[in-house]
Each structure stands twice: as structure tokens, then as C-alpha cells.
Amino acid sequence: MMTKFVFTTLLTLMISSGSVCLAQPRTLKGTWISTEQDLIEILTTRRDSINFISNKLLQEDRFHLFIFSDTLSFQDIYTSSSTQFKTENTDRYDLKIISCNDSILVVSPISDLSKKYFQKRPIISLKNKKYIHDNTIVFEKLVYHSIFGGPTIALQIDSSKNLFMNYINTSSNKKYGLPTGNYSAVLDDETYNELIYHLQNCNIRTLKFRDSKGADSPVISLIIYFNGKRKYLKSIAPPRISADLVSFIIWRLCSYENLKPTNDKKEIER
């Protein structure tokens, strides 16, 4: 009864303040994250769209998105062998928009599937990823490992901008990637500041990786030291909240243009 009362009161206040809005694709486009790591990522709409939602249990799924007035309808459309793949089925994960603006999105699961997906919580309050920047994060050191499914990489970067990488080329065609060996560089200010931005923009204090395993996917692990703390994360499928950070490490740091071969050897933490 108390939960229902609180929800009803909150809804009434939002309506009276005029903050309830119809779904506007331009306003809603982007990545929205809750303090419990729920996520709604809206990229495009209609049948050919691909969008994502995930919950605090780190379950993550992709959907088509349809917008009906004040409702976000994330839909899984599929066929099955039971109908010889001739009949389409649709599973709807509907979320009613309670409140929205450029930085905050509040939704209520209203279909059976969405209620179950979000553990029957009456409302989910999310913040646009553009506004979760935490400038109290003081970076100390980052360690990145990637094994299987590509080159084996162990990379370390510290707060003095020193980058060290051990790279093992596992490709049958050695012209792809770097030659096996150790590499080092000192990051330029722009690249280093971008690293700090991504670290401060991924909810690093509460960030969790799902402990998923798979034979054909690379295992990615991150060890991040900040504000006197150590954070260890490992998964074959890092959550989308960390996608910008992981992509930056892979495509900017592991491929940093100023990397030079070095005879130095370092034992990189695992």
C-alpha cells in the first residue's frame, strides 16, 4: 500500500507540474541510465530499428522500438518452427513515459513483460548519459586485458600519461595488426583528457560487468585505480554503459599512433 501511495503521489505531482510529456524521438534519442544501472538506449524507431534496454540484473536485450503517444514500445518480433516460420509473434516491453526532459527520463513498466523485466518496480528514473559526468573521479591507473578472439593485449596507462602495451599477434596473416612485442608511448593531452572524460562518464563508482562466458568471444578485463580505490571488471560482454570507454581503449589506446617498440619489460597486473 505504501509503495502504491508513493507512486500515485509522485505521478500526481508530475502531472500537476506539467512535466509529463508525449514521446518525442528527438528528445528521447540517446542513452539513459539509472543509479541501479538500468539502461534505455534509443537510436532509431520503427520496424527496422535496433535499440537496447537492460536492467539492474545486467540482463541486456535489443529491440525494435515503436512510439505510441506517451508509450515506448520495445518489441521483439520473431517467427518460430511451430508455425513453419510463417506467423509472426510479438513480445512487447511497454514503458509509459511519466516525465521527460533533456536530462531526466522517468518511465513506468505497463506490460506484463516489462514489469517482469524491471522486477515489478513501479517507476524507473534514468538520467541522460551526457549528464552523468562525475568530475570527482581522480584517475590513478588503468589496466586492460583482452584475450581470445583476436590479438592478446595487456595494456597499462598511469596518471603520468605513460602507456605500456604487450601485444601478441595471433592472426594467421601477420600483416594484420602489430608485430608481437612490447610497445610504449606518452599520451598527448587531447587523448589523455578524452580517457579521463570516458572514465568520468560511465558511472565508474557503481559500474558492474556481467560474469558471462563464451568460447568464441574475447574476454575483456579492466582494473581501474581511482580516488585510492581499485575496481576490477571482467566479461565477454561489457554492458553498454561502458561501451564508449571500452571502444576508446580498443580503437584509440591499443592503436595509438605514437606507440613505439620497446625492449622494456613490465609485469602487467591481472
Side-chain angles (χ1 to χ4, degrees):
M1 290 296 292
M2 180 58 71
T3 300
K4 184 176 181 180
F5 172 76
V6 172
F7 173 60
T8 303
T9 302
L10 178 61
L11 178 58
T12 301
L13 288 172
M14 288 177 174
I15 293 173
S16 64
S17 65
S19 59
V20 174
C21 66
L22 298 181
Q24 300 293 331
R26 185 174 299 178
T27 301
L28 294 167
K29 188 174 181 179
T31 303
W32 304 84
I33 300 161
S34 78
T35 56
E36 296 183 278
Q37 206 168 312
D38 305 290
L39 175 142
I40 295 175
E41 187 167 22
I42 297 173
L43 303 174
T44 54
T45 60
R46 309 305 296 176
R47 188 182 176 91
D48 61 347
S49 65
I50 297 177
N51 303 271
F52 299 86
I53 60 175
S54 63
N55 58 30
K56 67 177 183 179
L57 304 179
L58 305 185
Q59 177 184 350
E60 188 170 283
D61 297 278
R62 54 196 290 171
F63 297 93
H64 306 295
L65 174 62
F66 299 83
I67 297 180
F68 305 118
S69 184
D70 61 353
T71 299
L72 302 174
S73 182
F74 290 90
Q75 299 186 9
D76 182 17
I77 303 172
Y78 60 94
T79 59
S80 69
S81 58
S82 62
T83 61
Q84 298 178 330
F85 304 101
K86 294 180 179 179
T87 302
E88 281 192 343
N89 303 287
T90 300
D91 292 341
R92 290 181 55 157
Y93 295 73
D94 289 353
L95 303 170
K96 182 180 177 64
I97 298 176
I98 305 303
S99 176
C100 66
N101 56 42
D102 288 344
S103 60
I104 300 294
L105 172 65
V106 181
V107 297
S108 175
I110 57 174
S111 66
D112 290 340
L113 286 172
S114 63
K115 289 176 181 178
K116 181 179 179 181
Y117 196 88
F118 290 103
Q119 301 80 49
K120 298 185 178 179
R121 287 175 284 160
I123 60 171
I124 311 295
S125 180
L126 308 103
K127 194 169 186 178
N128 194 303
K129 190 172 185 289
K130 294 185 295 185
Y131 298 97
I132 66 171
H133 196 77
D134 183 357
N135 59 14
T136 67
I137 298 295
V138 179
F139 172 68
E140 297 167 14
K141 185 173 72 173
L142 178 144
V143 174
Y144 166 84
H145 288 276
S146 178
I147 59 174
F148 309 123
T152 296
I153 297 173
L155 177 146
Q156 174 181 299
I157 182 166
D158 61 29
S159 59
S160 296
K161 307 177 186 177
N162 297 309
L163 186 156
F164 180 86
M165 180 175 70
N166 176 262
Y167 186 99
I168 301 175
N169 191 327
T170 58
S171 173
S172 58
N173 189 339
K174 300 303 180 183
K175 74 177 184 179
Y176 296 109
L178 297 170
T180 293
N182 294 327
Y183 296 83
S184 65
V186 177
L187 294 184
D188 63 86
D189 289 345
E190 181 181 353
T191 304
Y192 180 78
N193 290 338
E194 192 171 349
L195 169 64
I196 301 304
Y197 172 82
H198 288 305
L199 287 168
Q200 294 180 337
N201 190 240
C202 67
N203 276 4
I204 191 66
R205 295 183 188 274
T206 57
L207 182 63
K208 295 180 289 185
F209 279 13
R210 187 176 183 180
D211 186 20
S212 52
K213 298 178 176 62
D216 300 324
S217 299
V219 178
I220 289 175
S221 62
L222 290 175
I223 306 171
I224 304 169
Y225 289 86
F226 64 97
N227 297 72
K229 300 177 181 179
R230 177 184 184 271
K231 186 97 176 187
Y232 179 81
L233 303 159
K234 182 177 180 179
S235 180
I236 66 166
R240 293 190 68 79
I241 183 176
S242 67
D244 291 342
L245 172 61
V246 173
S247 294
F248 177 80
I249 293 170
I250 294 171
W251 300 110
R252 291 289 298 279
L253 298 186
C254 295
S255 305
Y256 187 57
E257 61 182 4
N258 293 328
L259 279 170
K260 303 295 183 185
T262 178
N263 292 323
D264 292 345
K265 295 182 180 180
K266 289 185 180 181
E267 194 69 32
I268 298 181
E269 178 184 3
R270 289 190 171 277

